[in-house]
Amino acid sequence: MTEDTTTDSGDESLAETFWAVASRLRRQTRESLAPWDVTPSQSRALGVLGRHGEVRPGTLAEHLHIAPRSATEVIDDLQARGLVERRPDPADRRATLVALTAEGTRISADIRAARRAEADRFFGHLDDSDRAELARILRTLRA
């Protein structure tokens, strides 16, 4: 099997098709975030905080798979907008925790709902079995 496996159409590789779909999904995600004027990284940070509650900046960086310095920039931007706040860690007063504010919680929920609706539109033309198969394949590739 060659690395340049072609799709059924025969004129583009599987990898090219995958990247084209990923690019379209990224573009639609950016467009769906426009009403809140947040970047994909900021949206992901809000999602992590919404799911996990307050965390240390290093833990947030790990969840986002970015460098701690980059996480600090994301946190700074979100804090400037009043969406997150830094708090002292009661378990270690030298450490800081990052938490959603009430506005951050509201916006995080709104973004989550918008992204869910966008994903439903994006994958909506697939029937349930195709969606399940695609999810299985993507999980396999991610592992």
Side-chain angles (χ1 to χ4, degrees), residues 71-94:
T72 298
E73 292 172 6
V74 170
I75 294 164
D76 287 347
D77 291 341
L78 291 172
Q79 186 174 22
R81 297 191 51 205
L83 302 178
V84 302
E85 62 186 7
R86 288 178 168 96
R87 303 176 180 162
D89 185 341
D92 180 354
R93 63 181 200 209
R94 297 168 297 163

Side-chain angles (χ1 to χ4, degrees), residues 34-46:
W36 298 278
D37 192 30
V38 296
T39 66
S41 293
Q42 292 168 345
S43 170
R44 289 176 41 235
L46 292 171

Side-chain angles (χ1 to χ4, degrees), residues 70-133:
S70 297
T72 298
E73 292 172 6
V74 170
I75 294 164
D76 287 347
D77 291 341
L78 291 172
Q79 186 174 22
R81 297 191 51 205
L83 302 178
V84 302
E85 62 186 7
R86 288 178 168 96
R87 303 176 180 162
D89 185 341
D92 180 354
R93 63 181 200 209
R94 297 168 297 163
T96 301
L97 296 173
V98 180
L100 291 174
T101 62
E103 181 70 359
T105 299
R106 185 188 67 75
I107 287 180
S108 178
D110 290 349
I111 289 172
R112 193 170 40 258
R115 291 187 77 176
R116 192 176 310 113
E118 184 62 35
D120 288 346
R121 280 191 296 279
F122 188 82
F123 296 107
H125 67 281
L126 298 175
D127 64 31
D128 289 344
S129 66
D130 284 345
R131 267 188 264 194
E133 183 66 6

